[in-house]
Amino acid sequence: MQDADIVIVGAGAAGLSLAHRLAVDRPGGPMPSVVLVDAPAGPLKPAERTWCFWEEPHGEFDTALTAVWDTLRVRAPDGTAVAASPAPLRYKMLRSGAFESLVGDRLAAEPNVARLEAVVEEIRDVGDGAEVRTRAPDGRPLSLHARWVFDSRPARVLPPGRTTLLQHFHGWFVTTGRPAFDPLVADLMDFRTPQPPHGLSFAYVLPTSPHQALVEYTEFSREVLDDQAYDRALTRYLTDELVLGAHDIVRVEHGVIPMTDARFPRRAGRSVFRIGTAGGATRPSTGYTFAAIQRQTRAIATAYHQGRTPQPPPAHSARSRAMDAVLLRALDTGRVSGASFFTRLFREVPMERLLRFLDGRTSIREDVTIGLHTPVGPMLRTAAELPRLPKYRAHAPTSAPTPAPAPRPGHPAERKEN
């Protein structure tokens, strides 16, 4: 006996987006019964996080955006800047709390959507469907039966791949007494940061007003840093590069995203599928995920409403994944300088075309043209060696930012920098 047509495990970007798509993308037919299972407050529930993506104006989530930018900038290690408009695209910043509120309000109007707060302990195929075994916050066991189950929980162990780097970032939401930021310009990558021996590092500056911005330090490398190292990197950047002066740190954000050429299985059983990062939605070369989640969940909803098996499609094309595998290996071996690589691309390729390329929406001809602006020799050498490299499994850190520790005495969040 079914409790629902569909059970969605996880109410983050992927889970909420799928429930939303099933409701709004149906062609006039009935809404399936959906149970959305969210983790209760505690270590399994991620802290609020920030998603950024590019798309045309008038998107369906525009009312929840924190900020929008029409000019993007990249700075080389020597400080020279490349700034351009990605028109007709716009760069958008969406906080998870605002997204959850917007989509949650929409789903609340759907009588066929129920929400459950519980810890999922097991998912297994049973008969012509699947069973989801959960435990409520008060300890009571509860089992759900559904025709289809979509699981958005990140995998604990990554599928086997040749190269695995971690994109780890630590950000401060800062407020200044004087106007210190240009709210019309977002700094995608500022490479005036010390570069690690394997991978790359950069700063990320997203102003929301002349006095406020999210400033993040990001690395693509094999290992994460400790809290003190992130604090030093951000303090150095705000002091030496931005020359920010007096400022307050009002909120801290931290996260780790696996960047791997491993192939993520999107089917975990006859009636069980993986979505979001667990289903390969994260772009291996950039870490961007939100836009791919929208494409993936839209395709699932369309298949379901057409009576087809709602298996999630690949979030990125085989061509995009192959190019990402080459880039990750080239960065990891040190054959390619990440700072030089990305600076040259943004300097020589039109911004709108490059963003479409990073989103996997360019033609083969455009991809070849863009490839000519990369270090061709090292990239070809890397491509030639990839088929001979062994694959291995790696531990997967959570893809969602983890709660930041409370400010401690002497921590930068408790003082002003002058």
Side-chain angles (χ1 to χ4, degrees), residues 54-57 69-70 86-91 352 355-356 361:
W54 46 84
E55 67 173 4
E56 289 77 11
W69 299 274
D70 292 316
L89 304 177
R90 308 184 81 192
Y91 196 62
E352 182 269 344
L355 293 187
R356 284 193 295 108
R361 294 192 290 132

Side-chain angles (χ1 to χ4, degrees), residues 13 56 124 137-138 166 174 215-216 221 230 242 252-253 268 291 308 311 336 345 350 357 359 365 396:
E56 289 77 11
R124 64 190 184 106
D138 62 5
L166 301 177
V174 299
V215 183
E216 286 192 349
S221 58
Y230 292 117
L242 296 187
V252 180
E253 182 173 276
R308 297 184 283 113
Q311 179 166 340
V336 167
L345 282 182
F357 171 75
D359 212 22
R365 181 177 179 180

Side-chain angles (χ1 to χ4, degrees), residues 38-372:
D38 195 13
L44 296 179
K45 193 175 185 67
E48 188 172 10
R49 54 254 187 236
T50 303
W51 300 313
C52 289
F53 55 99
W54 46 84
E55 67 173 4
E56 289 77 11
H58 312 300
E60 60 186 319
F61 306 123
D62 276 11
T63 57
L65 296 176
T66 299
V68 177
W69 299 274
D70 292 316
T71 300
L72 303 178
R73 183 167 57 201
V74 171
R75 289 189 184 274
D78 64 3
T80 56
V82 179
S85 168
L89 304 177
R90 308 184 81 192
Y91 196 62
K92 302 182 178 184
M93 177 184 183
L94 178 62
R95 294 282 289 162
S96 62
F99 174 77
E100 291 164 5
S101 178
L102 176 66
V103 175
D105 288 347
R106 293 175 179 176
L107 293 178
E110 295 288 344
N112 280 6
V113 177
R115 302 193 66 164
L116 171 68
E117 194 173 80
V119 175
V120 173
E121 297 182 333
E122 183 184 8
I123 303 174
R124 64 190 184 106
D125 286 311
V126 289
D128 190 24
E131 179 185 29
V132 181
R133 294 183 177 180
T134 75
R135 191 164 297 275
D138 62 5
R140 290 182 301 108
L142 174 65
S143 291
L144 301 169
H145 293 80
R147 177 65 186 93
W148 305 109
V149 174
F150 296 89
D151 188 359
S152 67
R153 296 172 301 169
R156 294 181 179 178
V157 178
L158 295 174
R162 301 179 184 90
T163 307
T164 298
L165 296 176
L166 301 177
Q167 179 182 158
H168 46 107
F169 53 90
H170 196 81
W172 292 343
F173 291 83
V174 299
T175 300
T176 62
R178 65 175 180 83
F181 304 104
D182 182 352
L184 301 179
V185 180
D187 283 290
L188 280 186
M189 292 177 162
D190 187 341
F191 290 108
R192 294 177 296 173
T193 53
Q195 297 300 308
H198 300 277
L200 71 151
S201 74
F202 57 89
Y204 192 61
V205 183
L206 301 180
T208 55
S209 79
H211 298 268
Q212 296 176 315
L214 167 60
V215 183
E216 286 192 349
Y217 174 79
T218 301
E219 274 196 19
F220 297 179
S221 58
R222 298 175 183 176
E223 303 289 341
V224 299
L225 307 178
D226 57 32
D227 289 344
Q228 291 74 24
Y230 292 117
D231 290 347
R232 287 193 301 270
L234 278 167
T235 299
R236 175 198 170 279
Y237 180 72
L238 268 63
T239 302
D240 297 346
E241 308 302 344
L242 296 187
V243 194
L244 204 58
H247 63 275
D248 290 314
I249 299 170
V250 297
R251 193 162 60 246
V252 180
E253 182 173 276
H254 178 77
V256 186
I257 301 171
M259 302 176 67
T260 176
D261 63 356
R263 302 209 44 190
F264 287 78
R266 301 179 306 283
R267 193 160 196 164
R270 292 190 309 273
S271 297
V272 183
F273 303 103
R274 294 189 176 96
I275 57 174
T277 295
T282 298
R283 182 75 194 261
S285 61
T286 64
Y288 283 102
T289 305
F290 188 82
I293 283 174
Q294 303 313 310
R295 294 194 298 268
Q296 192 179 61
T297 54
R298 185 179 289 112
I300 293 169
T302 297
Y304 178 84
H305 289 306
Q306 291 178 349
R308 297 184 283 113
T309 299
Q311 179 166 340
H316 307 285
S317 69
R319 189 169 79 249
S320 294
R321 295 195 304 270
M323 290 186 293
D324 287 350
V326 174
L327 176 59
L328 287 177
R329 176 68 179 176
L331 290 173
D332 190 41
T333 59
R335 291 185 191 131
V336 167
S337 162
S340 299
F341 179 90
F342 283 105
T343 300
R344 181 180 176 187
L345 282 182
F346 278 96
R347 181 182 295 123
E348 299 179 1
V349 179
M351 182 72 73
E352 182 269 344
R353 184 186 305 168
L354 185 54
L355 293 187
R356 284 193 295 108
F357 171 75
L358 295 177
D359 212 22
R361 294 192 290 132
T362 44
S363 65
I364 294 178
R365 181 177 179 180
E366 288 175 312
D367 290 348
V368 171
T369 301
I370 292 171
L372 295 177

